[in-house]
Amino acid sequence: MEPAINWPDLQGNILRGYRKHFVRHLVLTVDRPAAACRWLADATSGDDSRTPQITTAQPWSGDKPTSCVNIGLTASGLAKLGVSPASIASFPHEFVAGMPSRSKLIGDTGPSDPSGWKREWQDHERIHLMISVHADNAAIRAAVADRIMAASGAFRLLAALDGEDFPGGKVHFGYRDSISQPQFYGVHGPDNRRDDQPLVEIGAMLLGYATPVEDIRWRVPSPHVLGFNGSFNAFRVLEQQVEQFEQFLSECADRLMTDPVGKRLLPPGEEKKWTPPMSRRDALREMVAAKMLGRWYNGVPLEMSPHSPSPQPPIGEEKLNDYGYSHDPDGQRCPIGSHMRRSNPRDAKIVQRNTNHARRIIRRGIPYGPMYDPALPVKAERGLLGSFMCASLTSQFEALQYDWTNLGLIDPRITGTNDPILGNNEPLHSRFTFPVGEEKVTFRGFPHFIHTRGGAYLFQPSISAIRYLASLGDGKAARKSSGAAYVD
Amino acid sequence: MTIWAKISAFLRRIMETVLVAFWRKVAPVKTPEPEYSTALADNLQMHMNLVMPLADQTAVGRAQAVQAVAANIDELFTGLSNVGTVHFARFDLVGGNLCMYSVFDGDFRAYIRDFISVFGSVFDALLGLVADPPPSPSALHPEEFIDWIHRHDAFQIPRDLTSLFPEERNIKNLSRDLVLLLDANRNVQIGRFSGYPGVSVAQIRHGTGMGW
Ligand code: HEM
């Protein structure tokens, strides 16, 4: 018998998104372990007066809170709080080794190599804890973050990473994001299901439950109270090369304007039926962008509407994820090599036959940096603060990155190519191919559009586990509320 | 062989044994972890050379191993086919070892995970015959199973021997390092050749019309 999900014991950001428009991730070193343990105790005490409380998954009874707080720890963070070496050794090896040591496997090479990561991510051993504040507005975000830092006196701030939603849920590159997420047995029922994809076992996200890989259960790190109901987060700072991406779309559109295949890809005049109608060149740019992703900019799936982002009748919001690929075996509508189809093949035939639903991850991302305006291009760093959550980093996040995003092992027709948006492409070898009827369109010579600039593998403990961690400081903890040292 | 030749060979063996034991203590070498390559083609056609000492290495014990593989061969082969990324797999008895050699595409750990989910239970039965088996069933102990397989997978010596010891500053020590590496790893793969490098099994199946 599977244990029932104990909602108040889970951190609230795992199985649901808060849909808050402002996020601050505080990347921290634990300077004073006893004080850090005391803060963990305070933050799970139910008493908001000392410090903001860690948000649990307990359903909200009344109004939504204006802010939510969650935490994740690295292996060195666990050690710093006093978790024993034997206990740390019971965590998965990739988590203990840390994200930078997995760089080649997950494609962090060339411009994404950890040696080029931002200063705060350079010394991996110093990164102990990330506290994420989700808020309704910037003022609340700042106030909550300041209260956390002031109340604890335990942490040194390595970086405060701010992300803000763009209008319409868009991210850099112009796509609408946060539409597809896995749905779980025991969580999603007939009244709150958003699509027909098979429900996923909760063990894909939380430790201690059956997983989508038949019969397999991941080890729950010991002691049980620390591991059970925990989850992992591959947190990534992903810089997006927006200017290069836009330029690439323009080059592709220019080619399709003269190449006869452009006419078959988008029958002339079709773009005038779009809402709003578009110039042919702009429409071809959008078409290429959609082929690279699997959805039009506005979120309409190519699979449901291959020629127009504004099909008639319109596709309702609740239907935007309700599709599969089994009727499109060759990728005529949605290319096999597109970002989405590689990242979740849904019901498509794939090489690793028992893996279709085994690598599902929860994605929570928010843009950082100013929005790119082609009319007024400002040089600035911009990208996505991305949390990729799962129960097994190596069999979900890393497996995705290693042989689907890159390598393309998923289907022989794309093996040897990388994800056109996310993959670590370099112009000499990069290739993105998709069929148009009997013909093929191939684009080459594009670079790596997304560079990793930092990140860490974090363990997201349950509320009981946080209390356990807090108890490790017992006896040693001295509550001092001296202001924390902010390092800019 | 003359008596002198025998004595000198014997003395040499003793000196070597003492020397290796000494080196092992003062200048140990680490067996490098397998490196992932950034070249796409290098991540296809990976090799696994699993050497598993049998608990009973007598003719009777070895006969039991042959029978156990034979009894499960259809299930093993169907499972291997269903993993989807396996080019070849062989089961051999070499000395007192049950060996499984295979060529597969992609990441070793992902391969073993797929392997557990596809035919872990059959493999668990085989592991009952092996000395020092991993905890069973593999599906409930996937991490231990994968680590165990990794430990029994013969170390693969790269083409460029010098790349084995990146931290070695003195080139003269390389042969000593190699001796120590072989001291720590009884079984190693020395070289491999492919007639069609950089191609996945699914690409071959697809290209030859076999269906993948
Ligand atoms: C800056 C980096 C990234 C950008 C701009 C990006 C963009 C997008 C967008 C716009 C969507 C479609 C929206 C939706 O369906 O929710 C999407 C879907 C998805 N992405 Fe990404 N992504 C990025 C990084 C990643 C990474 C690192 C991974 C995995 C390791 C990933 C995995 C996925 C998955 C699994 C889906 C859903 C596919 C489906 O369920 O059909 N993405 N991404």
Side-chain angles (χ1 to χ4, degrees):
Chain A
M1 249 301 264
E2 281 301 302
I5 299 171
N6 177 6
W7 295 96
D9 194 41
L10 305 181
Q11 289 204 60
N13 59 330
I14 302 172
L15 295 182
R16 72 173 160 202
Y18 301 130
R19 304 219 169 239
K20 299 277 177 212
H21 298 308
F22 293 79
V23 174
R24 177 168 298 170
H25 297 293
L26 302 166
V27 185
L28 303 165
T29 293
V30 171
D31 267 348
R32 293 171 45 222
C37 291
R38 168 63 60 198
W39 181 79
L40 293 175
D42 287 348
T44 48
S45 65
D47 174 5
D48 190 60
S49 66
R50 279 210 283 271
T51 193
Q53 296 297 293
I54 292 173
T55 309
T56 75
Q58 171 90 28
W60 292 319
S61 45
D63 291 343
K64 267 181 159 191
T66 55
S67 65
C68 302
V69 175
N70 292 103
I71 68 162
L73 296 116
T74 60
S76 43
L78 291 173
K80 187 80 185 190
L81 292 181
V83 173
S84 72
S87 167
I88 290 183
S90 70
F91 278 79
H93 74 285
E94 69 280 3
F95 166 72
V96 178
M99 188 182 279
S101 75
R102 312 287 288 173
S103 58
K104 277 201 182 154
L105 177 74
I106 58 179
D108 283 343
T109 57
S112 293
D113 190 283
S115 60
W117 285 7
K118 293 163 75 135
R119 197 169 50 106
E120 61 266 25
W121 300 103
Q122 283 288 337
D123 183 357
H124 195 70
E125 287 303 302
R126 272 198 327 166
I127 299 161
H128 294 150
L129 176 73
M130 194 169 90
I131 303 182
S132 304
V133 177
H134 311 253
D136 283 350
N137 61 46
I140 296 176
R141 172 177 70 184
V144 173
D146 288 348
R147 275 192 71 209
I148 290 171
M149 294 305 292
S152 70
F155 308 126
R156 185 152 32 100
L157 187 72
L158 298 175
L161 309 176
D162 283 353
E164 269 140 52
D165 262 346
F166 291 157
K170 299 225 166 176
V171 292
H172 293 293
F173 294 167
Y175 300 111
R176 188 177 154 201
D177 199 358
S178 299
I179 302 168
S180 341
Q181 297 288 9
Q183 301 174 104
F184 299 97
Y185 286 109
V187 178
H188 297 94
D191 35 322
N192 62 353
R193 277 192 75 162
R194 292 189 310 263
D195 61 63
D196 250 357
Q197 290 185 74
L199 292 175
V200 181
E201 285 74 5
I202 198 74
M205 224 37 66
L206 300 175
L207 292 167
Y209 302 84
T211 73
V213 193
E214 211 179 321
D215 299 334
I216 286 197
R217 277 170 181 262
W218 307 124
R219 179 173 55 214
V220 177
S222 57
H224 193 262
V225 63
L226 175 60
F228 181 61
N229 272 339
S231 172
F232 292 99
N233 176 3
F235 178 78
R236 315 267 282 161
V237 179
L238 298 170
E239 181 180 0
Q240 294 175 249
Q241 310 298 317
V242 183
E243 207 166 343
Q244 288 185 38
F245 185 78
E246 296 297 329
Q247 189 189 332
F248 174 67
L249 295 182
S250 298
E251 287 164 13
C252 295
D254 289 342
R255 200 191 109 191
L256 292 170
M257 291 286 282
T258 51
D259 191 325
V261 78
K263 291 205 174 83
R264 276 182 287 283
L265 180 62
L266 184 67
E270 195 68 31
E271 66 279 5
K272 297 288 173 234
K273 298 182 211 151
W274 292 9
T275 332
M278 273 200 187
S279 78
R280 180 133 187 96
R281 185 170 178 276
D282 283 351
L284 284 169
R285 282 179 101 257
E286 181 159 351
M287 182 93 217
V288 174
K291 289 281 186 189
M292 289 168 81
L293 180 74
R295 291 189 191 276
W296 298 92
Y297 284 138
N298 62 6
V300 167
L302 272 185
E303 208 49 57
M304 298 170 101
S305 175
H307 293 299
S308 167
S310 36
Q312 287 308 326
I315 299 168
E317 189 61 32
E318 71 297 344
K319 287 277 163 207
L320 284 181
N321 208 31
D322 201 6
Y323 66 92
Y325 301 113
S326 60
H327 301 296
D328 183 18
D330 301 323
Q332 291 283 354
R333 289 168 164 246
C334 179
I336 297 163
S338 63
H339 173 63
M340 289 187 65
R341 191 159 170 174
R342 280 175 188 256
S343 302
N344 176 13
R346 301 182 179 222
D347 56 356
K349 176 182 178 187
I350 66 169
V351 169
Q352 296 119 315
R353 291 170 210 173
N354 58 344
T355 314
N356 278 65
H357 305 288
R359 298 182 177 182
R360 303 296 305 278
I361 51 171
I362 286 185
R363 301 170 300 120
R364 310 238 178 267
I366 193 153
Y368 73 93
M371 199 188 263
Y372 178 80
D373 176 358
L376 217 93
V378 178
K379 283 249 174 290
E381 189 190 320
R382 39 174 75 82
L384 187 87
L385 301 173
S387 290
F388 302 94
M389 302 182 190
C390 52
S392 166
L393 288 164
T394 184
S395 66
Q396 293 166 274
F397 171 75
E398 290 188 343
L400 266 183
Q401 289 277 122
Y402 171 74
D403 65 23
W404 287 0
T405 299
N406 295 316
L407 193 56
L409 211 53
I410 195 166
D411 186 304
R413 293 161 292 180
I414 62 160
T415 301
T417 69
N418 299 331
D419 184 323
I421 297 178
L422 181 63
N424 53 351
N425 292 298
E426 34 91 25
L428 203 59
H429 298 111
S430 55
R431 178 164 51 93
F432 175 52
T433 298
F434 55 87
V436 181
E438 295 297 299
E439 291 174 73
K440 265 190 187 157
V441 175
T442 301
F443 297 118
R444 294 177 192 276
F446 51 93
H448 200 156
F449 292 120
I450 292 174
H451 300 172
T452 311
R453 300 303 314 284
Y457 284 160
L458 301 169
F459 176 61
Q460 309 185 117
S462 69
I463 303 299
S464 317
I466 297 173
R467 294 199 177 114
Y468 165 79
L469 290 171
S471 75
L472 297 177
D474 272 359
K476 290 176 271 172
R479 182 178 310 146
K480 281 198 185 147
S481 305
S482 58
Y486 266 70
V487 179
D488 285 320
Chain B
M1 206 191 256
T2 66
I3 181 80
W4 290 115
K6 276 189 184 160
I7 289 175
S8 91
F10 177 70
L11 289 175
R12 199 179 143 176
R13 173 115 19 111
I14 290 192
M15 279 175 61
E16 278 173 6
T17 312
V18 171
L19 198 60
V20 169
F22 173 71
W23 280 344
R24 210 187 281 144
K25 267 213 142 50
V26 299
V29 297
K30 232 177 57 204
T31 306
E33 278 296 311
E35 272 277 323
Y36 293 97
S37 170
T38 48
L40 287 172
D42 290 349
N43 296 309
L44 300 172
Q45 302 182 22
M46 317 301 279
H47 288 221
M48 180 182 79
N49 309 300
L50 206 52
V51 181
M52 301 171 282
L54 288 171
D56 177 357
Q57 306 197 355
T58 64
V60 175
R62 291 162 60 231
Q64 275 176 340
V66 170
Q67 274 173 339
V69 174
N72 291 303
I73 205 90
D74 289 341
E75 233 176 304
L76 284 168
F77 288 0
T78 311
L80 284 163
S81 175
N82 282 338
V83 168
T85 50
V86 184
H87 290 251
F88 310 105
R90 297 174 25 198
F91 293 87
D92 293 355
L93 270 185
V94 179
N97 302 303
L98 172 61
C99 302
M100 177 186 174
Y101 302 130
S102 68
V103 180
F104 62 94
D105 297 320
D107 178 31
F108 173 78
R109 286 175 188 269
Y111 166 52
I112 304 301
R113 251 184 338 260
D114 291 350
F115 183 103
I116 299 174
S117 66
V118 172
F119 59 86
S121 51
V122 182
F123 214 75
D124 288 341
L126 292 185
L127 291 181
L129 301 172
V130 161
D132 177 31
S136 179
S138 48
L140 292 186
H141 306 276
E143 293 90 352
E144 286 94 335
F145 182 79
I146 293 171
D147 288 343
W148 188 92
I149 298 275
H150 185 48
R151 282 200 303 280
H152 288 77
D153 181 17
F155 178 71
Q156 299 176 24
I157 296 195
R159 259 164 87 143
D160 173 11
L161 276 185
T162 55
S163 71
L164 269 175
F165 311 106
E167 266 136 49
E168 183 56 84
R169 294 278 156 262
N170 186 350
I171 200 158
K172 287 198 199 131
N173 289 340
L174 285 177
S175 7
R176 183 192 69 191
D177 295 342
L178 185 62
V179 169
L180 287 177
L181 185 84
L182 289 167
D183 175 52
N185 296 276
R186 276 207 76 71
N187 309 304
V188 294
Q189 176 180 288
I190 306 175
R192 62 193 206 200
F193 166 80
S194 168
Y196 47 88
V199 188
S200 74
V201 63
Q203 284 177 311
I204 292 166
R205 283 176 166 176
H206 180 56
T208 52
M210 271 186 240
W212 48 279

